[in-house]
Amino acid sequence: VNRAFEQLRRRVAEVTDLEAVVMLLEWDFEVMMPRAATTVRGEQLATAERVAHERLTDPEVGRLLDELEPAVDGLDPDTFEASLVRVVRRDFEKARRVSADLRADLARAAADGHAVWVEARERSDFTRFRPALERNLELKLRYVACFDGYDDPYDVLLDDYEPDLKTAEAAEVLDRLREELVPLVAERTGEVLDDSFLTGTFPVQQQRELERRLLPLLGYDEETWRLDDIVHPAQFGLAPTDIRISTRYSEHTLESLFSVLHEFGHGLYERQVDPALTRTPLAGGASLGLHESQSRLWENLVGRGLPFCRFLYPQLQEAFPEQLGEITLDRFYRAINKVKPSLIRVDADEVTYNLHIVLRFELERELLGGRLPLDSLPDAWNERMHRYLGVEVPDDARGVLQDSHWSGGGFGYFPTYSLGNVASVQIWQRAREALPALDDDLERGDFSGLREWLRDVLHRNGRKFTPRETMERAAGAALDPGPYLDYLREKSAEIYRLTARK
Ligand code: ZN
């Protein structure tokens, strides 16, 4: 048995290495690569992915799992051995269902779809994108057909990002967000709150220097992390000792600051995984939703909270005296939390953000279920933007074409953003109970207590447990939108009461 376990471990270490190579190629594509290499890079990625898939689905992996399962049956499910066998079995069974041909078709359609989408978005023309979207949808339905035992075809797609969560469960959370947030947004939209000083001149050099001072306090160190410039901010966790985050700078806003906090949250999750899980499929986040709970926790619950603002704002005023010198902390805090319906998801505030997600979740379910013809998609998008957020969509580029997910076949991905928001508040409340001095610590710029608590209740477990169980362990409860909705209501009431008082 020991020998079989070592063999399995060696095999999955190879798969994990190859997956890290894929991610490194992707990081390089986004950050370093000369543009002319795009086509050859696509081939390199496809080769590396195919080899990783062949290694994972090798029948010998199945034989080793068959041999090891009875042996780990009596072990504590928390142990490394039991966890590795359980997780590899799951990955193996899923990977085996989908033929190499279909995988190659999906990858090619995603690459082509992305290229067409870039062009269509530039011209703001949905009809150019429509054939690529249709192809992606067809292939996704063929992918769904590789599986059985689901209640809803969407379950299969959601499972790739949020393992074991049913569509009906996700819908229960998102429906509730829609029901309660549409009226809240409508109520806040008419109120006056000045945030004009958040747009102006924020020299990029000063932004960089400020972030370089802030990041080490949060837990970033030059030995383990990198921060680079990129078009679409992201995090690449190659290993617990190789964390790469990226951001983009605008001279006119402070968006980079919040995007760095967001990506730092993703990176910290990967950084604090138990080092013993390195080079196994257990190193990494339990699901996209849980990953997003960590980025949102640092971006919003820390970053847009009053204690952290008390710590950071004097430094911001010093860095940008012309822009913020005359603005009080109160005004800054209110402005960065303003509820402001807008066209673009990635620019949305905490409250309106979820309605952008609800809309995409509903539309992609209707498309996959054949209930919404592709030709009607832009109109359906625009109609729902009006109904949920009260905004009029002027063109496809700022409407249905704004996000890249569908161009790459990423159906089922969107709901994880809102699930992450919901989980972030449940985990945050638990942190506050465990760390009574949290507010004081944040105000002093001491993040070690929070960082270590997150490591102990969540990060160190990596992918050992299902997202459901990981959530229970971290938050002490199942996913529940109640605390998140209470938080949004209380925070926006506080922000707007402050406004009334001036
Ligand atoms: Zn994120």
Side-chain angles (χ1 to χ4, degrees):
V1 168
N2 277 343
R3 238 195 57 211
F5 189 76
E6 279 318 306
Q7 279 177 18
L8 181 73
R9 210 179 148 160
R10 193 168 44 75
R11 281 178 172 272
V12 298
E14 277 181 5
V15 175
T16 311
D17 289 346
L18 287 163
E19 285 167 351
V21 167
V22 167
M23 196 185 282
L24 183 58
L25 290 174
E26 287 168 346
W27 175 83
D28 177 77
F29 177 93
E30 298 280 350
V31 175
M32 307 289 275
M33 194 189 79
R35 281 304 110 194
T38 303
T39 308
V40 72
R41 177 53 48 90
E43 300 296 337
Q44 292 161 345
L45 275 165
T47 301
E49 277 168 5
R50 194 186 62 241
V51 175
H53 184 256
E54 282 166 7
R55 292 288 164 104
L56 174 61
T57 54
D58 190 318
E60 180 61 11
V61 173
R63 202 199 57 74
L64 290 167
L65 289 169
D66 289 342
E67 183 182 341
L68 286 164
E69 273 164 348
V72 299
D73 210 26
L75 288 181
D76 179 346
D78 284 26
T79 58
F80 174 65
E81 289 79 5
S83 301
L84 189 73
V85 169
R86 186 172 64 234
V87 170
V88 175
R89 168 63 82 183
R90 200 192 127 80
D91 292 351
F92 174 76
E93 293 301 335
K94 274 198 82 165
R96 218 156 68 108
R97 295 242 177 189
V98 184
S99 70
D101 283 349
L102 179 54
R103 271 181 196 277
D105 287 348
L106 283 160
R108 211 169 302 118
D112 294 348
H114 189 82
V116 173
W117 167 75
V118 169
E119 221 175 273
R121 190 172 71 152
E122 266 165 24
R123 289 161 207 231
S124 193
D125 181 2
F126 175 76
T127 54
R128 284 183 90 88
F129 179 52
R130 191 194 174 287
L133 184 59
E134 187 166 24
R135 172 82 179 138
N136 271 324
L137 276 167
E138 267 168 31
L139 287 170
K140 278 291 159 180
L141 288 170
R142 277 175 55 202
Y143 179 80
V144 169
C146 298
F147 296 84
D148 49 38
Y150 50 80
D151 306 329
D152 182 318
Y154 194 88
D155 286 354
V156 175
L157 306 180
L158 184 61
D159 192 84
D160 285 348
Y161 307 109
E162 208 57 41
D164 286 337
L165 188 79
K166 296 285 184 195
T167 308
E169 294 172 289
E172 206 176 301
V173 174
L174 275 89
D175 287 351
R176 174 116 182 259
L177 295 182
R178 186 193 61 230
E179 281 157 24
E180 305 209 16
L181 293 179
V182 169
L184 181 63
V185 169
E187 186 186 326
R188 295 298 172 212
T189 301
E191 299 193 48
V192 181
L193 195 159
D194 176 27
D195 65 346
S196 58
F197 50 86
L198 293 179
T199 314
T201 307
F202 299 91
V204 170
Q205 190 52 33
Q206 257 80 302
Q207 294 191 46
R208 289 187 199 275
E209 280 168 22
L210 187 95
E211 289 170 7
R212 289 286 169 193
R213 282 202 307 276
L214 173 65
L215 279 167
L217 296 172
L218 295 173
Y220 174 107
D221 68 88
E222 297 286 344
E223 291 291 301
T224 318
W225 297 65
R226 282 186 64 97
L227 171 64
D228 293 279
D229 289 17
I230 206 171
V231 182
H232 304 290
Q235 183 272 144
F236 301 80
L238 293 161
T241 48
D242 187 354
I243 308 294
R244 302 172 188 222
I245 58 175
S246 50
T247 186
R248 72 172 155 220
Y249 294 94
S250 156
E251 214 199 345
H252 307 296
T253 71
L254 289 171
E255 71 171 88
S256 166
L257 177 65
F258 292 100
S259 119
V260 161
L261 287 168
H262 182 100
E263 303 307 334
F264 167 78
H266 281 305
L268 188 67
Y269 193 171
E270 305 269 331
R271 172 72 187 114
Q272 298 205 110
V273 166
D274 181 351
L277 306 181
T278 304
R279 296 186 69 224
T280 77
L282 306 180
S287 72
L288 283 195
L290 279 159
H291 235 299
E292 196 69 3
S293 79
Q294 297 307 287
S295 55
R296 288 302 198 164
L297 186 144
W298 287 93
E299 177 191 354
N300 289 333
L301 296 160
V302 174
R304 288 189 168 86
L306 193 52
F308 179 75
C309 286
R310 288 199 179 106
F311 163 71
L312 187 73
Y313 192 59
Q315 302 176 48
L316 281 171
Q317 283 185 304
E318 203 177 304
F320 311 107
E322 287 176 17
Q323 196 66 40
L324 300 174
E326 304 296 310
I327 307 295
T328 61
L329 169 67
D330 250 19
R331 286 183 66 196
F332 175 77
Y333 170 63
R334 279 179 268 148
I336 60 170
N337 286 290
K338 181 176 181 173
V339 180
K340 189 160 75 173
S342 62
L343 292 165
I344 307 294
R345 173 184 64 90
V346 295
D347 299 337
D349 61 83
E350 272 183 282
V351 178
T352 57
Y353 187 92
N354 300 287
L355 295 174
H356 290 269
I357 300 303
V358 167
L359 170 147
R360 287 156 178 74
F361 174 62
E362 290 175 353
L363 293 178
E364 60 183 22
R365 283 184 69 197
E366 289 168 25
L367 284 175
L368 281 155
R371 298 189 297 279
L372 176 66
L374 261 184
D375 289 330
S376 310
L377 179 61
D379 287 342
W381 179 290
N382 299 350
E383 186 273 323
R384 251 170 267 212
M385 281 298 284
H386 176 79
R387 191 145 41 98
Y388 297 165
L389 287 165
V391 300
E392 304 304 327
V393 179
D395 50 49
D396 292 343
R398 283 174 282 181
V400 67
L401 292 176
Q402 67 181 263
D403 281 320
S404 68
H405 302 59
W406 291 341
S407 77
F411 303 97
Y413 188 122
F414 280 118
T416 67
Y417 290 116
S418 280
L419 300 173
N421 285 336
V422 166
S424 73
V425 168
Q426 288 180 268
I427 294 169
W428 179 249
Q429 290 190 342
R430 211 67 194 308
R432 298 182 68 93
E433 287 163 25
L435 305 166
L438 182 58
D439 282 355
D440 294 339
D441 290 347
L442 297 179
E443 202 171 320
R444 281 184 293 113
D446 179 355
F447 305 97
S448 57
L450 177 60
R451 194 168 64 229
E452 284 160 23
W453 183 83
L454 288 168
R455 179 194 63 205
D456 293 343
V457 303
L458 175 63
H459 299 167
R460 69 185 173 89
N461 290 331
R463 263 184 93 219
K464 275 168 86 173
F465 311 111
T466 61
R468 203 182 299 274
E469 189 176 349
T470 306
M471 180 67 189
E472 287 275 356
R473 285 170 187 246
L479 199 64
D480 170 11
Y484 178 59
L485 286 163
D486 290 344
Y487 156 81
L488 289 179
R489 262 191 297 265
E490 278 162 29
K491 189 166 180 184
S492 87
E494 181 202 5
I495 296 299
Y496 286 86
R497 206 160 43 236
L498 285 166
T499 315
R501 216 175 56 213
K502 266 270 152 55

